[in-house]
Structure formats: C-alpha cells, structure tokens
Amino acid sequence: MLVEPGRVELVWRPGPELTNRSGVVHGGYIATALDDACGMASGSAAERPTLHLTMNLNVDYLRPVRAGRSTPWPAR
C-alpha cells in the first residue's frame, strides 16, 4: 500500500468467494474496493480528519478482475 497526501494505491487480491457465475470478481466488490481507495485518497489530502462519503459512484468496467490475482487500485 502506498499513501501520500492526496494519493493512495491499494493492492487487492480477491478470493474465489467473490466471483460470479462467469468466474470473474463481481462488479459490486470491484466498486467497493474503488470507493475505499478513493475515500482514503481524499482523506489523506485533508489537513485534519474529516468525514468523507460517496454521494454518487459510477464505474465503467474495462476488463474483468480475476480471483487470486493481485490488482493495484491507484486513487487520487
């Protein structure tokens, strides 16, 4: 994991229990990991601890995430 002011990079290795019938990680789990990474990035940019929440989240999936493989999640 990398944490700098306004920037975070998480590494996520999803297990097979998070896959759908197609054998890829379910989009809801992907969106949750993305939301966590973005929340940590915005929190790291704040001068003092503040509450952050997502009002709207839209995700365009470019390729499948496979279970058992480490995937980096950079966020700014």
Side-chain angles (χ1 to χ4, degrees), residues 10-25:
L10 304 178
V11 177
W12 182 41
R13 187 179 196 146
E17 65 278 359
L18 302 182
T19 59
N20 59 26
R21 287 182 275 179
S22 299
V24 297
V25 177

Side-chain angles (χ1 to χ4, degrees), residues 3 22 26 72:
V3 179
S22 299
H26 189 281

Side-chain angles (χ1 to χ4, degrees), residues 48-65:
R48 59 188 175 92
T50 57
L51 177 64
H52 293 88
L53 62 110
T54 302
M55 297 298 290
N56 186 35
L57 177 65
N58 295 301
V59 179
D60 293 321
Y61 298 94
L62 303 177
R63 62 185 160 275
V65 173

